[in-house]
Amino acid sequence: MKTVLHRFLAEEHVFNISEIDKVFDMISPYIETVTSRDCIYYNLPCSFDTEFSSFYDEKGRKTGLLYAWMFGICGLVIMGRNKEDFLTAYKKLVSLFQTSNKQRLIIYVHNLSADFEYIRKWLDWKKIFALERHIPVYAITNDGIEFRCSYLLSGYALEKIGSKLYIYTESKKDVGQLDYDKLRTPITPLSGNEIKYCCDDVRVVCSYIMEEILRNNGINKIPLTKTGYVRRFARESCFRNRYNYKSIMKNLTMCADEFITNKDAFQGGYTHSNPRNTGVLLYNVLPLDITSSYTAAQASERFPMSKGKLVEIHSKHEFIELMNTHHVIFDVYFEGLHSRVYFDSYISKSKCVIKEGVFEQNGRVVFAKRISTTITEVDFLIINNVYYWDKMTVGNVWVYESDYLPTDFVHAMLTLYRDKTTLKGVESMEYEYQKKKEDLNSFYGMSVTSPIRDTIPYENEWLDPVTPELEEAIEEYNHNYQRFLFYPWGVYTTAYARRNLWTAILETGNDHVYSDTDSEKFLNPEKHLHYIEEYNEVIKRKLQRACKCHGLDYYEFCEPCNNQGKHIPLGAWTIEDHCKRFKTLGAKRYMYETEKGVFFTVAGLKKKAVEWLKARGDPFEQFNDDMCIPANESGRLIHTYINETREGVVYDYLNNEYEYKSESAVHLEKSEYNLSMVEGYTEYITGLRHLRIE
């Protein structure tokens, strides 16, 4: 199939709908099928894509109009321009492949959420599975055509897919050959370069899917999403000792109230800036990163390894003893809460239920008259170092026995870390390295997947999410024979990672500048180098003890060598390139300069915007509160989904008149980016700088 696909990819001819029989005849000698769950699948790489224009109609309403579509089959491309062409081609494919509910043709669509909006009212759907409204993972028609989202499978934008190929490396998406600002309709002439640009989109997806077919030994074994790969790997690794692992999981179940408490206690990574250093241009800032922070936490720490037990607390001494010997998740109520420090705050206001008399700084509680929230004992240790209070009451206390995660689970995870490290930089192993890295990054993600997931019904329109009945969903979770995870593990993974990060925040104190999940940036590096050494020694000892318990070789799995023979210790702080200059405007908003140049990270803003800032002078002077990036430079697009029919007359960029009708559509519009800090936060920063803090 590799040689055949290479030949078809080299076929520059674009087929029209009258030539579909010819395309079918060309691929017929190579058609094969695979069977899974009583359904036959064509083992062929197929893709679909649309091109559409966004505009405002004569009533000033946002409108979208499809002006071209492409089917790719084994790299051969069939192209049409309108709904009638599409339906003709679709029916022809159904007839030629004789598809049905028991014999399916899978067609991958990169970013199915957008393309689906243009075809969803044209076809009859048997089943649609979506993560959220307008975000389908797959959509199956009554005719046996199954559209799947290749973006959710790969995790890469279309322009990056070509660089990730390792067999069909000649496939790539051209950039800049189609001006999306020009309004086109189905009768707008397309140049040769524009047609090639459109067709290359489906060719590169065909190449990607062909590689996935080879990698998975069949299209029926390709998972639906990117995390499916690591989930399959972990499940197979854990179930090698099938009965032993299943007996562990049998004892790790939850009741509904316990799950709610765990969910309330879950928090993600900690991201915040020191208000005293926010908005200030700083020099000689040292950035640190923890190597695979979540992996290190799951490998080195102990976790809930029993059913939760609801207990009553009768004294402070009893509660402290319980936290010293068990894992404890509980509701906590504070009166007269005050911050001990001014360089950061820990409690998130959004996670509080009661919140009276709260003074916050950028979403973090500085002091409060009364608040209540749900936390773990790991969170409590941080809170105890950061705040003092007049009164504390605890309730709804769930207690767990503590132990390391199952050996099979840890071994699978550390195998990925070892392989990722040893493969990095090795010539001809780029693909294997990238896959190991992606799987390792996904390992934590599956740990915090909630067992309670809304379903997104579709009945000619997207309907509101439906939440399953809690008791039934938890019961199904507890008795799932394929389950190899326990939700409280994910809750504690992020709690440990936050604690590890906060050791650096508390160490650096007023020198603390910015932190994000597994990274810390601070001033006066020479004052804190001892902390880095001490921390790294502590995590090494923890991992050594854990490896001894699991019967694993520490140096093989936790300090593997890279291709240069250097040991890369898991969980250790590593020093990145010094920042000659650094400036932050709050969480996910910072700019820095190293020997390699000027870079920035701003949530919702494309990296190219820094070039626009450079063209206007010193980018650090431009990077301020109320900074505005024009729509043409920001790279931001506003997506508007249009459910009702739009029809009328429109003129394309060549002034050709076209009478259109769009049953449903997506409207994309460039948007400027306005960076503004929260008013209360700026006032807090101003007031704080007038204080003398030693």
Side-chain angles (χ1 to χ4, degrees):
M1 180 63 79
K2 174 183 174 182
T3 304
V4 172
L5 186 55
H6 270 299
R7 180 165 65 83
F8 287 162
L9 287 171
E11 174 67 64
E12 292 294 329
H13 179 71
V14 179
F15 300 86
N16 59 46
I17 57 173
S18 66
E19 298 176 293
I20 295 179
D21 289 290
K22 179 179 178 181
V23 171
F24 187 79
D25 289 340
M26 291 174 69
I27 66 170
S28 289
Y30 314 104
I31 291 178
E32 58 181 35
T33 60
V34 289
T35 303
S36 179
R37 295 183 180 179
D38 299 323
C39 188
I40 298 171
Y41 295 92
Y42 285 99
N43 205 34
L44 299 171
C46 300
S47 63
F48 174 74
D49 189 29
T50 66
E51 296 293 346
F52 56 90
S53 283
S54 300
F55 59 97
Y56 285 82
D57 67 9
E58 64 276 7
K59 296 180 181 180
R61 300 176 300 179
K62 293 180 177 180
T63 306
L65 175 63
L66 181 146
Y67 65 82
W69 55 261
M70 292 71 60
F71 271 118
I73 307 176
C74 292
L76 299 174
V77 181
I78 304 158
M79 187 175 190
R81 300 297 303 271
N82 54 36
K83 172 184 176 180
E84 290 71 26
D85 288 349
F86 172 84
L87 291 177
T88 299
Y90 171 84
K91 292 173 183 177
K92 192 69 174 176
L93 290 176
V94 169
S95 174
L96 289 170
F97 284 96
Q98 298 183 354
T99 59
S100 66
N101 288 332
K102 294 293 185 179
Q103 186 161 294
R104 292 185 194 163
L105 180 68
I106 298 176
I107 300 175
Y108 280 89
V109 186
H110 213 75
N111 196 9
L112 179 58
S113 60
D115 299 277
F116 181 72
E117 292 301 316
Y118 281 96
I119 66 172
R120 66 183 177 87
K121 293 189 177 181
W122 297 352
L123 302 174
D124 295 323
W125 302 99
K126 176 180 175 62
K127 183 178 181 182
I128 296 173
F129 171 63
L131 299 178
E132 299 176 22
R133 292 181 68 182
H134 303 290
I135 306 181
V137 178
Y138 64 76
I140 306 172
T141 71
N142 285 320
D143 299 307
I145 301 294
E146 180 173 343
F147 294 94
R148 288 191 186 180
C149 184
S150 53
Y151 172 73
L152 294 176
L153 174 65
S154 67
Y156 294 113
L158 189 56
E159 57 266 24
K160 289 188 177 181
I161 287 289
S163 65
K164 304 300 178 181
L165 299 174
Y166 70 105
I167 297 176
Y168 306 101
T169 53
E170 70 275 24
S171 293
K172 64 179 180 179
K173 171 181 168 60
D174 287 333
V175 178
Q177 296 298 320
L178 197 64
D179 186 349
Y180 287 97
D181 291 334
K182 292 181 177 180
L183 197 159
R184 297 178 177 83
T185 75
I187 65 171
T188 303
L190 298 177
S191 69
N193 283 338
E194 289 173 334
I195 292 174
K196 182 178 184 302
Y197 176 90
C198 296
C199 294
D200 281 347
D201 286 357
V202 291
R203 289 190 182 109
V204 75
V205 174
C206 279
S207 297
Y208 168 68
I209 295 304
M210 188 66 243
E211 293 192 1
E212 293 303 302
I213 290 173
L214 295 172
R215 176 189 178 193
N216 291 274
N217 296 316
I219 199 168
N220 59 320
K221 296 181 181 178
I222 299 177
L224 294 175
T225 64
K226 187 175 183 177
T227 56
Y229 287 111
V230 69
R231 188 175 292 274
R232 181 169 63 193
F233 167 75
R235 181 181 288 111
E236 290 173 352
S237 299
C238 292
F239 288 168
R240 286 196 183 102
N241 299 315
R242 188 175 186 86
Y243 296 106
N244 179 50
Y245 202 92
K246 283 191 174 295
S247 66
I248 293 174
M249 300 312 298
K250 187 176 180 180
N251 293 318
L252 299 180
T253 57
M254 293 185 292
C255 69
D257 290 340
E258 178 186 355
F259 165 72
I260 292 172
T261 303
N262 271 268
K263 190 173 182 180
D264 290 342
F266 173 74
Q267 298 181 56
Y270 183 87
T271 303
H272 213 243
S273 62
N274 181 347
R276 288 179 59 83
N277 290 323
T278 300
V280 180
L281 180 58
L282 304 169
Y283 298 87
N284 191 26
V285 172
L286 185 69
L288 297 179
D289 279 324
I290 294 180
T291 303
S292 300
S293 175
Y294 288 152
T295 302
Q298 291 189 323
S300 65
E301 302 291 350
R302 296 176 184 270
F303 287 79
M305 289 298 292
S306 70
K307 295 179 181 179
K309 182 180 180 182
L310 188 62
V311 302
E312 291 186 4
I313 302 299
H314 302 96
S315 68
K316 178 180 178 181
H317 175 75
E318 177 187 358
F319 186 59
I320 292 174
E321 284 297 310
L322 201 59
M323 288 194 294
N324 286 335
T325 57
H326 292 74
H327 290 299
V328 188
I329 301 178
F330 56 97
D331 297 339
V332 61
Y333 166 84
F334 293 108
E335 285 187 10
L337 183 83
H338 292 267
S339 179
R340 296 178 185 269
V341 299
Y342 291 93
F343 48 79
D344 217 331
S345 304
Y346 183 74
I347 297 175
S348 175
K349 182 182 176 182
S350 65
K351 296 294 293 184
C352 297
V353 179
I354 297 173
K355 35 194 170 188
E356 294 183 10
V358 173
F359 186 84
E360 63 176 282
Q361 54 114 339
N362 207 22
R364 301 287 172 174
V365 177
V366 179
F367 61 81
K369 182 179 179 181
R370 293 198 315 148
I371 63 166
S372 69
T373 187
T374 305
I375 59 175
T376 70
E377 85 282 359
V378 179
D379 297 297
F380 179 75
L381 293 176
I382 304 172
I383 292 171
N384 193 45
N385 281 317
V386 179
Y387 299 94
Y388 64 91
W389 50 85
D390 298 331
K391 180 182 178 181
M392 183 185 84
T393 306
V394 300
N396 190 33
V397 181
W398 290 89
V399 178
Y400 299 85
E401 298 296 329
S402 177
D403 204 348
Y404 290 119
L405 294 178
T407 296
D408 292 322
F409 180 87
V410 174
H411 179 257
M413 178 177 62
L414 292 181
T415 297
L416 290 176
Y417 176 73
R418 178 198 64 192
D419 294 348
K420 180 206 77 164
T421 304
T422 56
L423 290 171
K424 185 176 182 179
V426 178
E427 189 175 353
S428 77
M429 298 297 286
E430 294 85 0
Y431 172 81
E432 288 77 6
Y433 163 74
Q434 191 63 35
K435 292 302 181 186
K436 298 293 184 183
K437 178 181 178 181
E438 291 168 0
D439 286 352
L440 182 63
N441 291 341
S442 299
F443 220 88
Y444 150 74
M446 65 182 182
S447 303
V448 292
T449 300
S450 173
I452 310 298
R453 296 288 298 271
D454 291 346
T455 57
I456 314 297
Y458 180 86
E459 297 177 7
N460 298 320
E461 300 288 352
W462 291 106
L463 304 180
D464 292 333
V466 175
T467 302
E469 200 282 321
L470 182 60
E471 295 283 355
E472 291 181 5
I474 290 297
E475 191 69 13
E476 182 179 349
Y477 168 83
N478 289 336
H479 293 94
N480 183 352
Y481 73 95
Q482 289 190 317
R483 181 170 65 90
F484 61 96
L485 297 164
F486 189 39
Y487 185 69
W489 296 352
V491 175
Y492 271 86
T493 299
T494 54
Y496 284 131
R498 290 192 300 274
R499 181 207 60 194
N500 294 343
L501 180 63
W502 264 85
T503 64
I505 295 173
L506 291 170
E507 158 64 30
T508 54
N510 292 328
D511 290 331
H512 162 61
V513 174
Y514 182 86
S515 59
D516 187 350
T517 308
D518 59 357
S519 65
E520 163 70 4
K521 297 172 175 63
F522 57 94
L523 297 166
N524 301 313
E526 65 284 351
K527 291 169 51 178
H528 308 290
L529 293 178
H530 68 93
Y531 157 78
I532 300 172
E533 296 175 358
E534 292 169 1
Y535 178 93
N536 288 349
E537 184 59 34
V538 169
I539 189 65
K540 179 176 182 177
R541 288 199 299 268
K542 282 186 175 182
L543 286 166
Q544 285 176 329
R545 286 196 295 269
C547 284
K548 183 177 181 180
C549 178
H550 292 302
L552 301 175
D553 182 86
Y554 166 79
Y555 285 100
E556 178 185 354
F557 290 100
C558 298
E559 269 198 41
C561 291
N562 62 14
N563 69 324
Q564 298 174 344
K566 179 182 178 182
H567 288 278
I568 307 297
L570 172 65
W573 282 115
T574 57
I575 299 175
E576 301 296 310
D577 293 337
H578 280 67
C579 298
K580 295 191 293 184
R581 293 191 292 171
F582 184 92
K583 190 176 187 180
T584 180
L585 300 176
K588 301 294 184 181
R589 299 173 172 184
Y590 61 88
M591 176 179 287
Y592 60 99
E593 180 181 18
T594 69
E595 296 294 338
K596 298 176 183 177
V598 176
F599 309 90
F600 77 1
T601 294
V602 177
L605 195 59
K606 298 292 185 179
K607 303 290 185 183
K608 73 169 190 174
V610 77
E611 300 302 323
W612 181 82
L613 291 174
K614 287 179 181 179
R616 294 168 56 85
D618 186 346
F620 286 92
E621 293 181 4
Q622 313 294 322
F623 190 62
N624 284 308
D625 190 22
D626 294 328
M627 178 188 75
C628 180
I629 307 291
N632 284 333
E633 304 294 340
S634 71
R636 300 182 75 225
L637 287 174
I638 296 176
H639 290 64
T640 303
Y641 294 97
I642 303 164
N643 295 320
E644 65 271 13
T645 298
R646 297 271 201 269
E647 55 186 320
V649 174
V650 69
Y651 293 86
D652 68 12
Y653 78 98
L654 297 173
N655 206 35
N656 295 313
E657 180 182 324
Y658 181 74
E659 187 174 344
Y660 71 90
K661 181 178 180 180
S662 290
E663 288 92 336
S664 58
V666 177
H667 180 277
L668 302 180
E669 185 173 21
K670 292 180 180 178
S671 171
E672 68 180 17
Y673 181 89
N674 292 288
L675 192 156
S676 58
M677 296 163 64
V678 179
E679 184 176 348
Y681 188 41
T682 57
E683 293 174 356
Y684 177 79
I685 291 171
T686 302
L688 194 60
R689 286 176 186 153
H690 285 87
L691 296 177
R692 179 178 176 82
I693 301 175
E694 301 295 337

